Amino acid sequence: MKIYEELVERGLIAQVTNEEEIREMINNGKAKFYIGFDCTADSLTAGHFMALTLMKRLQMAGNQPIALIGGGTTMIGDPSGRTDMRKMLTREDIDHNAECFRRQMERFIEFGPGKAQMVNNADWLLNLNYIDFLREVGACFSVNNMLRAECYKQRMEKGLSFFEFNYMIMQSYDFYYLFKNYGCNMQFGGDDQWSNMLGGTELIRKKLGKDAHAMTITLLTDSQGHKMGKTAGNAVWLDPNKTSPYEFYQYWRNVGDADVLKCIRMLTFLPMEQIREMSTWEGSQLNRAKEILAYELTSLVHGEEEAKKAEASAKALFSGGSNSTNIPTTVISEADLEDGKLDIMSILVKSGLCATRSDARRNIQQGGVSVEDEKISDIGRSFSADELRAGILVKRGKKNFNKVILK
């Protein structure tokens, strides 16, 4: 099976501008494509995972990726999928985040001469003269068309700043600049970016003519990647210091039955023949599918050794063990105690198993909390300093664990 057909079967293709031309270029290794990453944090998340694996698949098929770090666009912030304005970051914060992204991407993409490139749009966006930019680029955009874009529609009721309104033009200019200066002929992104990305192809057509437009192709991946990587309102990070390999493994181990095979198709590198066979699995077999998904993705991000440790820890916990060194651990101090004790609701909040004391109270009252396999029903239950020094394994539900230790 050729790579484009494989992408379709894996469910990665949502919309394209010229499918026949795209298929020919990708299948013959002629695509020089970019995917953009705005550096709003100091780590990529599981939500970026689809883009990273997509770049890897296409590079393995002979195509050339350009990883675009949004050092410039991050200073504005993409309004897509947002109900409020993003926090404005300093240039120092953005530069730091960009360097963190670079180190993480190098685990997936092979960079070097004739291979993948990494560029930062701060190199061209921050030096633009505002008046010149309006004359050269702004004149190519219709405000009426921009306001019809889905990424702006959802913000109109709550308010869209002029600051954010410029984001589409910035992103479109990225493709124009990469096309002219790097020979980039294709762009990828989530389907929530469709309007922004079409702006880029239209800008190239208007500035460079129809012949240039014929070589400019937009292909979008499904926005499922943007929906992944969120759990209990928190991001699942690729940085092991922010989300441990065990927590990363557990996140994928706990995906819903309806999503597990979709995630395996979209995110792993397992052969399609094997995945087709798995599509008939049901019942307890789906738990095995979740273990495969968790192991494959943890191995990709953190390495095979960490994946094996995480898998062993998960199996030990589910079989009733609590001695694994890979279990997420919260260390507390004497200052956290009150009269030499700590109550269960505080323990649940400090360990991150519950977001608030109200959340902790609700979980206890619903019978969803246990300590060392003993169900806790009393919201006033406290643990002594000696118990906490020995360490207690706290569980919320069947799949959320944390070891709390006093040191």
Side-chain angles (χ1 to χ4, degrees), residues 228-240:
M228 293 175 181
K230 296 285 186 180
T231 177
N234 298 314
V236 177
W237 306 99
L238 303 192
D239 182 345

Side-chain angles (χ1 to χ4, degrees), residues 303-334:
E304 191 171 357
E305 183 178 351
E306 290 296 337
K308 289 178 179 177
K309 289 179 183 178
E311 182 178 55
S313 295
K315 288 182 177 179
L317 282 171
F318 279 104
S319 64
S322 62
N323 296 320
S324 173
T325 58
N326 296 297
I327 298 170
T329 300
T330 298
V331 177
I332 60 174
S333 68
E334 297 283 352

Side-chain angles (χ1 to χ4, degrees), residues 90-323:
T90 67
R91 179 69 186 274
E92 291 73 23
D93 288 338
I94 293 170
D95 288 345
H96 170 73
N97 294 347
E99 182 56 33
C100 293
F101 277 25
R102 173 188 292 272
R103 291 196 298 268
Q104 291 178 341
M105 287 181 183
E106 287 172 346
R107 290 187 60 89
F108 296 88
I109 314 302
E110 190 174 359
F111 293 96
K115 298 176 182 176
Q117 294 174 271
M118 185 173 290
V119 297
N120 190 327
N121 62 17
D123 294 341
W124 56 85
L125 291 181
L126 298 188
N127 295 323
L128 290 172
N129 176 284
Y130 185 63
I131 299 300
D132 290 343
F133 183 74
L134 287 179
R135 287 173 62 89
E136 181 184 0
V137 178
C140 298
F141 287 81
S142 162
V143 171
N144 290 346
N145 289 339
M146 292 174 72
L147 290 175
R148 283 194 288 268
E150 199 61 39
C151 62
Y152 291 144
K153 274 184 185 179
Q154 59 192 354
R155 287 291 305 280
M156 292 304 290
E157 289 186 10
K158 292 196 174 184
L160 175 72
S161 70
F162 178 73
F163 184 65
E164 296 170 283
F165 188 64
N166 282 271
Y167 190 90
M168 180 187 289
I169 301 177
M170 296 287 100
Q171 183 172 339
S172 299
Y173 186 78
D174 281 342
F175 193 19
Y176 171 67
Y177 187 92
L178 291 172
F179 181 88
K180 281 206 314 177
N181 296 282
Y182 288 85
C184 177
N185 53 33
M186 195 177 295
Q187 57 181 333
F188 285 71
D191 58 12
D192 56 351
Q193 295 286 308
W194 180 245
S195 299
N196 287 356
M197 298 177 76
L198 286 182
T201 59
E202 183 66 11
L203 178 61
I204 292 171
R205 185 188 68 81
K206 288 182 176 179
K207 297 295 295 182
L208 302 176
K210 292 183 179 179
D211 290 340
H213 179 257
M215 292 300 295
T216 305
I217 301 166
T218 307
L219 182 149
L220 272 71
T221 59
D222 188 278
S223 62
Q224 178 71 20
H226 298 267
K227 299 170 187 173
M228 293 175 181
K230 296 285 186 180
T231 177
N234 298 314
V236 177
W237 306 99
L238 303 192
D239 182 345
N241 294 315
K242 296 168 78 71
T243 298
S244 72
Y246 173 81
E247 291 170 313
F248 188 84
Y249 177 95
Q250 281 296 95
Y251 172 73
W252 297 108
R253 172 63 181 80
N254 293 338
V255 300
D257 289 355
D259 294 327
V260 58
L261 290 176
K262 181 176 184 179
C263 290
I264 287 174
R265 283 197 309 272
M266 297 175 110
L267 301 177
T268 76
F269 287 83
L270 294 176
M272 284 307 305
E273 293 82 358
Q274 181 179 349
I275 296 173
R276 290 188 204 107
E277 182 179 328
M278 293 170 67
S279 67
T280 63
W281 289 7
E282 56 186 24
S284 62
Q285 289 178 305
L286 291 177
N287 287 327
R288 177 57 187 147
K290 293 176 187 181
E291 291 173 351
I292 292 171
L293 171 68
Y295 182 87
E296 290 293 324
L297 298 192
T298 306
S299 182
L300 277 172
V301 174
H302 298 295
E304 191 171 357
E305 183 178 351
E306 290 296 337
K308 289 178 179 177
K309 289 179 183 178
E311 182 178 55
S313 295
K315 288 182 177 179
L317 282 171
F318 279 104
S319 64
S322 62
N323 296 320

